[in-house]
Amino acid sequence: MEDLLMANAVPIAEIDLSLFGIEGYKLFIKREDLLHPFVSGNKFRKLKYNLIAAKEQRYKVLLTFGGAFSNHIAAVAAAGKELGFETIGVIRGAELKEEISENATLSFAKSCGMQLYFISREDYRGKDKAEFITNLKNQFGDFYLLPEGGTNALAVKGCEEILDENGFSANYICVPVGTGGTMAGLVKGSNENQNVLGFSALKGTFQTSEIAKYTSKTNFEITDSYCFGGYGKIDRDLVRFINEFKEKTDIPLDPIYTGKMMYGIMDLLKNGYFKENSRIFAIHTGGLQGIAGMNQKLKKKKLPIIE
């Protein structure tokens, strides 16, 4: 267990902004995606203390929630296999039951031994209700519950550890935002003279209230200007950017989170959002497993794929 939960040092790459026609700033990206082959990025951070707690409390089963391309589902399945937990994934979308073999994320989770339980999108909206959880326990027995996306107090504690001495020297800390847990940890761990900027992967900035549950600091802002229409939405422009970024920097980006964040950072740099001579520290939160599934969707739509 210690091997999986030990966060090894990961590289911090400086991006040559001149390759993108930008000058007057320093941009660094912390490669959290390299923490573990399957339990990487913020999923590693969020799961770390939850898995320790589950072991200490002698749970044998982990149960969690997610959608068709969920990085969290893939990470929980992989961690469970490595650490000897049984895993159950409650999946949004009953129709996906017939499409497991065509879905890279769900196929991977199943190959790790995760039991997939598919429910309708309507039923899924009630997943946080006590009655819903009781019904799951009646069906599956006792389990350690991990919320959708993995965000809880232990997850936020893990995400605080993302920042190191390099992050503390930055003027801006940038991160993709889903449920808000990773950003909450970064805000908690930041200095109050730093600005933490979150790039929402979906419409809205509702995550602000989630972050406020874990910290009283207010040195942060969330924008949904680069969500490309919502969660899992993508277009030719974003695909082009992701491919161009990899070609110029040799750093792959995922289309759900980090691709949108880096697109946003570059756009804000070009439009003078950041103070001149600023040091910007971006967090690569992983999620690269989602590329295969997204490329399947892009091919069906006859759109360019992520290289």
Side-chain angles (χ1 to χ4, degrees):
M1 179 169 179
E2 289 75 13
D3 291 342
L4 172 62
L5 298 180
M6 183 69 69
N8 298 315
V10 294
I12 295 169
E14 181 173 0
I15 305 303
D16 183 354
L17 289 172
S18 68
L19 297 173
F20 300 89
I22 299 169
E23 295 181 353
Y25 305 93
K26 291 280 190 180
L27 173 61
F28 303 88
I29 182 167
K30 188 174 185 188
R31 298 291 307 277
E32 290 277 295
D33 57 304
L34 299 177
L35 276 171
H36 186 276
F38 306 113
V39 191
S40 71
N42 64 333
K43 299 310 173 190
F44 174 97
R45 302 292 186 176
K46 286 182 174 183
L47 285 173
K48 176 181 175 180
Y49 289 109
N50 275 289
L51 293 173
I52 290 171
K55 279 287 187 185
E56 289 177 346
Q57 296 168 37
R58 301 187 182 281
Y59 281 95
K60 300 185 182 305
V61 181
L62 307 173
L63 182 142
T64 195
F65 309 88
F69 304 105
S70 170
N71 297 323
H72 176 65
I73 287 289
V76 171
K81 180 182 179 182
E82 192 161 331
L83 298 179
F85 289 103
E86 294 179 38
T87 54
I88 301 167
V90 181
I91 307 300
R92 179 180 65 248
E95 73 281 358
L96 295 171
K97 186 175 184 179
E98 310 303 323
E99 302 174 13
I100 296 175
S101 62
E102 301 170 20
N103 183 295
T105 301
L106 298 180
S107 294
F108 172 77
K110 186 177 179 181
S111 74
C112 291
M114 177 174 272
Q115 181 180 348
L116 302 176
Y117 176 56
F118 298 87
I119 62 175
S120 71
R121 293 167 193 278
E122 182 179 354
D123 288 344
Y124 192 86
R125 283 193 283 272
K127 69 184 183 304
D128 297 322
K129 295 179 180 176
E131 182 183 359
F132 187 92
I133 302 302
T134 298
N135 289 337
L136 288 175
K137 289 188 174 180
N138 289 336
Q139 183 169 351
F140 296 111
D142 200 17
F143 51 74
Y144 186 92
L145 179 66
L146 291 161
E148 182 181 34
T151 291
N152 58 17
L154 290 176
V156 172
K157 177 183 176 181
C159 289
E160 283 186 67
E161 297 177 353
I162 294 173
L163 287 180
D164 53 21
E165 63 275 10
N166 296 284
F168 289 130
S169 67
N171 304 108
Y172 296 89
I173 300 164
C174 296
V175 64
V177 182
T179 57
T182 304
M183 189 171 182
L186 290 169
V187 172
K188 281 191 76 175
S190 69
N191 297 324
E192 294 199 9
N193 62 346
Q194 293 178 307
N195 296 293
V196 184
L197 180 58
F199 294 81
S200 183
L202 56 166
K203 286 183 179 178
T205 57
F206 58 89
Q207 303 96 331
T208 298
S209 59
E210 182 71 14
I211 293 166
K213 294 177 184 177
Y214 301 103
T215 178
S216 59
K217 291 182 181 178
T218 58
N219 59 324
F220 69 91
E221 178 185 352
I222 301 175
T223 177
D224 66 351
S225 296
Y226 303 98
C227 73
F228 284 82
Y231 183 78
K233 300 290 181 65
I234 188 171
D235 64 14
R236 289 176 183 270
D237 197 28
L238 183 57
V239 172
R240 177 202 56 75
F241 172 79
I242 290 171
N243 288 336
E244 178 191 12
F245 190 86
K246 185 179 180 184
E247 182 182 346
K248 291 180 176 179
T249 67
D250 201 31
I251 298 174
L253 302 173
D254 85 286
I256 309 294
Y257 293 103
T258 55
K260 293 180 177 182
M261 173 190 70
M262 289 308 304
Y263 185 101
I265 290 173
M266 292 299 182
D267 188 63
L268 292 176
L269 281 166
K270 290 174 182 176
N271 286 287
Y273 171 87
F274 300 104
K275 292 179 182 177
E276 206 169 339
N277 299 316
S278 291
R279 293 171 61 88
I280 301 152
F281 191 65
I283 311 299
H284 193 314
T285 54
L288 299 176
Q289 66 85 27
I291 292 175
M294 182 59 72
N295 277 343
Q296 288 176 332
K297 287 180 68 175
L298 291 169
K299 285 177 182 177
K300 286 181 181 178
K301 295 180 178 179
K302 297 189 174 5
L303 291 171
I305 65 168
I306 298 165
E307 302 294 342

